[in-house]
Amino acid sequence: MKRTTFLLGVLTALATPAQATVVNGGFEQWAQGQPTAWSLIDSGISVSQSNTIKLSGSSAAAISVNTADQANTDFRQLVGVTAGQTYTFSTAVYHTEGNVRARLYVNGYQGYSNEQLTGQWQTLSHSYTAPSSGNIEVGLRFYDVAGFDGSELVYVDEFKPASTTEPPATGCSNTSLSFALNTDNYGAETSWQLTNAQNQQQYAGSGYAGNTSYSEQWCLADGEYSFTIFDSYGDGICCSYGNGSYSLTLNNQPVFSGSSFGAQQSHSFTLGSAGGGDVDLGSYYADAAGLTGYNLKTALHNIINNHTARGYSAIWGFYNVYELDNYYENDGSILDIYSEKPSATDSYVYAAGSDQCGSYNSEADCYNREHSFPRSWFGGAIEPMNSDIHHIFATDGFVNSKRGSYPFGKVGSASFTSTNGSKLGSAIAGSGYSGTVFEPIDEFKGDIARAYFYMATRYQSQLANWQNNSTEANAALNGTTTQVFENWLLQLLKQWHQQDPVSQKERDRNDAAYQYQGNRNPFIDHPQFVSAIWGN
């Protein structure tokens, strides 16, 4: 298929050219079904008003790309600029299917969007210094990728440039931070954005040169922030094609840094009372300081209790951003703990969003949402347990169905083995349990154990009544709010916790979960809490 594109631009007669004003960039004005001030709409696209999916105001533009002929897909205007002035052009894009990639156009082609981020807004931006006064084209151009079926809907909102660059402020009355970016060989593939707790963009960047160092100062008020860096090719910025890296520092102390990732990497941090790191863990766990045993468990329960339940359907959106393989193949596919092969090529991979279940008949059909702590154990689709992301992992649907509600354990004789070696079968002799168990591969045993210790702590006030909800729950739980697990399972979980230490993948997921629902897994932040509560 031909590469399909269309160009989105802006036309206006400016009394003061330096302002580069975008007319109707928020798509609030419409006449006869078309956005006013947008002068060219080619025959290969259609534009309509969206009052439901919008970033701000009352509406956005819903743009359908309906042809593979790029000559018929332009939607453009012009802006006036003044020689020597610098402008930051930006727009928000919302992908629906993920089979079209948006590329910012500012007098030439700039950075790409991440088309895999479906069902959410992302921002593209580019800083442009005008070499001469006059009019330039600005806007978006869309390229089809694998899966494009000849028609795709993309929403666009808040297309705007900032005002002319102002002289540097004499000082920052809030908190000043230093951001540094070193690009790899393909700097144009890199973009990033910083948003606040209200998802409003504070800073952004794209359109970089290869193998170049950039630095800038951020001035931020107290509050929560999320930084996300994107690589449009999906291979990060280190180390296959150059040695790129990025970092944020506060008073020469690291806030976050990175280099190796897939399509994207995110970091959250807080300024103000919680300090300047991803999370000030000392402050977060202050009420548990100095405690041990079940007193520590109760203190941790009080800290992580009352998180915000986002609902079961919202988990798909979390997976699309945070449950991605940026650690093994580093290909940005869904990280399925029942199919991932840490030291070999996976037998199959899942694309975020497009491969979610659905029906399945065998392995590799689709991925779904695995309650590692089975929901039949806590009584069914009951909130907040049913949507608590700390224990719900992306897994192959068929393998998930094989696991069912059986406890985790060591398999002696397997009746089913997945492509990565996860097993279902009778428990190994001498384990203290003789029923059917499911055993994940070693790489993820610690992840499962720490999810179980989280559940035992987060739902301390409820789980005493869960033991009799099912035969499997009775085999795993002992009916107390203290020890929680039967002896055989407690010893197994502690063993898995020790043998498979906390990984960077877990730390990143814990940070994402905190941003997503407002609480953390203490046993990822402080692994020593396990032995402090349940002994060695």
Side-chain angles (χ1 to χ4, degrees), residues 249-383:
T249 57
L250 171 62
N251 298 326
N252 295 319
Q253 297 298 312
V255 178
F256 61 73
S257 62
S259 58
S260 179
F261 58 97
Q264 70 173 55
Q265 182 70 57
S266 296
H267 303 270
S268 60
F269 63 97
T270 302
L271 297 177
S273 59
D278 277 8
V279 177
D280 183 343
L281 298 183
S283 175
Y284 187 81
Y285 294 112
D287 290 343
L291 300 178
T292 60
Y294 296 135
N295 289 332
L296 171 58
K297 182 170 178 284
T298 297
L300 294 176
H301 166 75
N302 292 333
I303 292 168
I304 65 175
N305 194 20
N306 297 319
H307 73 265
T308 301
R310 301 290 299 274
Y312 191 52
S313 62
I315 293 173
W316 295 125
F318 181 91
Y319 287 172
N320 287 347
V321 180
Y322 299 113
E323 202 86 312
L324 304 178
D325 185 357
N326 298 323
Y327 308 91
Y328 303 104
E329 281 78 18
N330 204 24
D331 58 6
S333 63
I334 288 292
L335 208 168
D336 170 6
I337 64 174
Y338 292 166
S339 69
E340 177 60 48
K341 297 179 179 180
S343 302
T345 301
D346 295 341
S347 299
Y348 54 89
V349 295
Y350 289 130
S354 59
D355 290 333
Q356 65 194 41
C357 296
S359 60
Y360 47 82
N361 297 304
S362 60
E363 218 179 324
D365 284 348
C366 58
Y367 71 92
N368 64 4
R369 300 156 289 186
E370 158 74 307
H371 292 81
S372 64
F373 195 102
R375 63 182 175 185
S376 64
W377 293 13
F378 52 75
I382 301 172
E383 295 294 351

Side-chain angles (χ1 to χ4, degrees), residues 97-440:
E97 297 179 50
N99 302 320
V100 165
R101 178 179 293 173
R103 191 176 190 182
L104 190 63
Y105 190 91
V106 180
N107 201 32
Y109 300 109
Q110 310 302 335
Y112 291 93
S113 67
N114 182 351
E115 75 279 4
Q116 294 183 359
L117 293 180
T118 58
Q120 59 187 292
W121 290 100
Q122 59 180 290
T123 301
L124 300 177
S125 67
H126 177 69
S127 181
Y128 174 77
T129 301
S132 60
S133 299
N135 293 325
I136 64 169
E137 289 184 325
V138 299
L140 288 170
R141 177 163 285 187
F142 287 78
Y143 298 79
D144 67 280
V145 297
F148 178 65
D149 58 6
S151 180
E152 180 140 349
L153 182 64
V154 179
Y155 297 92
V156 178
D157 204 356
E158 289 300 297
F159 197 108
K160 59 186 179 181
S163 299
T164 318
T165 300
E166 298 293 338
T170 56
C172 175
S173 59
N174 292 308
T175 300
S176 180
L177 303 96
S178 300
F179 175 69
L181 172 68
N182 301 307
T183 59
D184 63 2
N185 298 350
Y186 299 95
E189 296 175 355
T190 300
S191 61
W192 58 268
Q193 65 177 346
L194 178 77
T195 57
N196 62 15
Q198 290 72 46
N199 202 32
Q200 297 169 332
Q201 181 179 291
Q202 306 297 294
Y203 294 92
S206 63
Y208 294 109
N211 297 310
T212 304
S213 296
Y214 298 87
S215 62
E216 59 183 69
Q217 295 296 120
W218 296 350
C219 185
L220 299 174
D222 290 351
E224 297 179 358
Y225 295 92
S226 177
F227 171 88
T228 304
I229 187 168
F230 305 96
D231 181 85
S232 61
Y233 195 75
D235 61 353
I237 58 177
C238 185
C239 300
S240 299
Y241 301 98
N243 294 299
S245 63
Y246 62 90
S247 66
L248 183 68
T249 57
L250 171 62
N251 298 326
N252 295 319
Q253 297 298 312
V255 178
F256 61 73
S257 62
S259 58
S260 179
F261 58 97
Q264 70 173 55
Q265 182 70 57
S266 296
H267 303 270
S268 60
F269 63 97
T270 302
L271 297 177
S273 59
D278 277 8
V279 177
D280 183 343
L281 298 183
S283 175
Y284 187 81
Y285 294 112
D287 290 343
L291 300 178
T292 60
Y294 296 135
N295 289 332
L296 171 58
K297 182 170 178 284
T298 297
L300 294 176
H301 166 75
N302 292 333
I303 292 168
I304 65 175
N305 194 20
N306 297 319
H307 73 265
T308 301
R310 301 290 299 274
Y312 191 52
S313 62
I315 293 173
W316 295 125
F318 181 91
Y319 287 172
N320 287 347
V321 180
Y322 299 113
E323 202 86 312
L324 304 178
D325 185 357
N326 298 323
Y327 308 91
Y328 303 104
E329 281 78 18
N330 204 24
D331 58 6
S333 63
I334 288 292
L335 208 168
D336 170 6
I337 64 174
Y338 292 166
S339 69
E340 177 60 48
K341 297 179 179 180
S343 302
T345 301
D346 295 341
S347 299
Y348 54 89
V349 295
Y350 289 130
S354 59
D355 290 333
Q356 65 194 41
C357 296
S359 60
Y360 47 82
N361 297 304
S362 60
E363 218 179 324
D365 284 348
C366 58
Y367 71 92
N368 64 4
R369 300 156 289 186
E370 158 74 307
H371 292 81
S372 64
F373 195 102
R375 63 182 175 185
S376 64
W377 293 13
F378 52 75
I382 301 172
E383 295 294 351
M385 297 80 73
N386 190 52
S387 66
D388 192 329
I389 202 66
H390 282 293
H391 81 109
I392 305 176
F393 300 94
T395 65
D396 176 87
F398 182 77
V399 181
N400 186 4
S401 70
K402 287 290 187 180
R403 187 264 164 136
S405 298
Y406 293 116
F408 288 108
K410 292 183 179 181
V411 170
S413 177
S415 58
F416 169 82
T417 303
S418 75
T419 58
N420 82 335
S422 299
K423 296 179 289 187
L424 178 75
S426 55
I428 192 170
S431 65
Y433 181 64
S434 59
T436 300
V437 295
F438 187 88
E439 182 177 1

